[in-house]
Amino acid sequence: MGFGRFMTETMRLFDLAGAELDRRFSPYCWRIRLALAHKNLPVETIPWRFTEKEEIAPSGQTLVPVLVDGDQWIADSWTIANYLEDKYPNSPSLFGGPVGRSLSRHYSDIADGLVRAIFPFIVLDVLQHVAEKDRDYFRASREKRANARLETVVSDRDKRLPDFRASLASLRRTLKSQPFLGGDQPLYADYAVFGPFQWARCTSPYVLLEKDDPIRHWRDRLLDCFDGLGRETPAYDA
Ligand SMILES: N[C@@H](CCC(=O)N[C@@H](CS)C(=O)NCC(=O)O)C(=O)O
């Protein structure tokens, strides 16, 4: 009885955490942290470790982010972004309209590709930050994925770096002429592409982006958004 029952319950987000509870480093969770802030939706983040599968079992799958809104459990960053856009239409749009939704889908896929491209540079550094109880699982699952020892995966990263940087040319060109992918203000496309760079920043001292790279300046602008939300986690100045 009373006022409380008329108020919407705060949403909860299962958010990947490292050995330190406040090191939040999932590229996919960061998309949603920023998307929620964009929509002015308060959220309680729940630090989650790779092996805590039972905690997110009601979502019917094994990966984070998982958003809990009342009695609904929603998994997968793109599904969550669409859910937020549709469920909260009066909050600022994540996509800038229906056409923007289709274009954002493409940026979400580009961002997934960036996760795969950055993985062989930082995966051994990520291992150093994974919670103790997750380490064996993390190494085994990632070595299976890479079909190689993690030490081998990263061993030639200096040699590969110029090609990786060159592969970012179109992103760099766009961000040289406009502050965000969304234009003057960031949209979901920005948050999606930011995720992999934030993942690297939170886990690895390896300098993926040169100091004067427009992509780096854009990343830093996104770190400043929402009262510096992206800086609320331990990270490297890389
Ligand atoms: N397609 C999913 C991918 C989510 C994903 O891969 N999450 C990782 C954390 S970055 C995870 O939960 N991994 C758990 C595991 O490897 O067991 C999305 O967009 O949300």
Side-chain angles (χ1 to χ4, degrees), residues 28 32 61 63-67 74-81 105:
Y28 303 100
I32 299 307
Q61 52 83 67
L63 309 176
V64 292
V66 169
L67 184 74
I74 311 118
D76 183 72
S77 56
W78 179 245
T79 307
I80 296 171
R105 165 77 223 204

Side-chain angles (χ1 to χ4, degrees), residues 72-193:
Q72 283 191 275
W73 290 64
I74 311 118
D76 183 72
S77 56
W78 179 245
T79 307
I80 296 171
N82 281 280
Y83 169 85
L84 294 174
E85 187 76 345
D86 296 336
K87 178 87 189 280
Y88 302 97
N90 298 326
S91 297
S93 171
L94 286 170
F95 305 133
V99 174
R101 190 188 297 244
S102 316
L103 294 173
S104 302
R105 165 77 223 204
H106 181 59
Y107 279 96
S108 171
D109 287 334
I110 286 179
D112 290 1
L114 272 170
V115 174
R116 290 189 290 274
I118 292 175
F119 175 92
F121 288 94
I122 65 165
V123 66
L124 195 59
D125 300 323
V126 176
L127 177 67
Q128 310 307 322
H129 288 292
V130 162
E132 185 68 39
K133 67 173 183 173
D134 283 352
R135 287 209 179 139
D136 290 348
Y137 167 78
F138 183 84
R139 181 184 273 281
S141 58
R142 272 51 186 177
E143 291 190 342
K144 190 169 173 213
R145 189 182 291 174
N147 198 21
R149 294 269 301 162
L150 298 187
E151 286 75 3
T152 311
V153 172
V154 302
S155 60
D156 62 345
R157 62 182 179 177
D158 291 347
K159 213 171 82 203
R160 288 185 279 105
L161 187 60
D163 279 353
F164 170 73
R165 287 179 174 165
S167 76
L168 303 173
S170 57
L171 180 63
R172 183 172 298 116
R173 205 170 305 121
T174 304
L175 293 171
K176 215 170 177 170
S177 56
Q178 60 190 58
F180 296 104
L181 296 172
D184 288 335
Q185 300 296 327
L187 289 174
Y188 188 74
D190 290 275
Y191 310 142
V193 177

Side-chain angles (χ1 to χ4, degrees), residues 14-62:
F14 287 90
D15 190 16
L16 183 64
E20 302 133 284
L21 270 190
D22 60 344
R23 191 178 300 267
R24 306 296 175 88
F25 60 93
S26 159
Y28 303 100
C29 292
W30 273 108
R31 299 177 188 182
I32 299 307
R33 295 280 301 272
L34 293 173
L36 286 159
H38 180 103
K39 281 197 148 308
N40 299 315
L41 295 168
V43 68
E44 181 199 340
T45 66
I46 303 169
W48 179 88
R49 265 70 180 260
F50 286 99
T51 47
E52 294 173 346
K53 301 297 187 199
E54 71 289 351
E55 288 192 26
I56 57 169
S59 72
Q61 52 83 67
T62 59

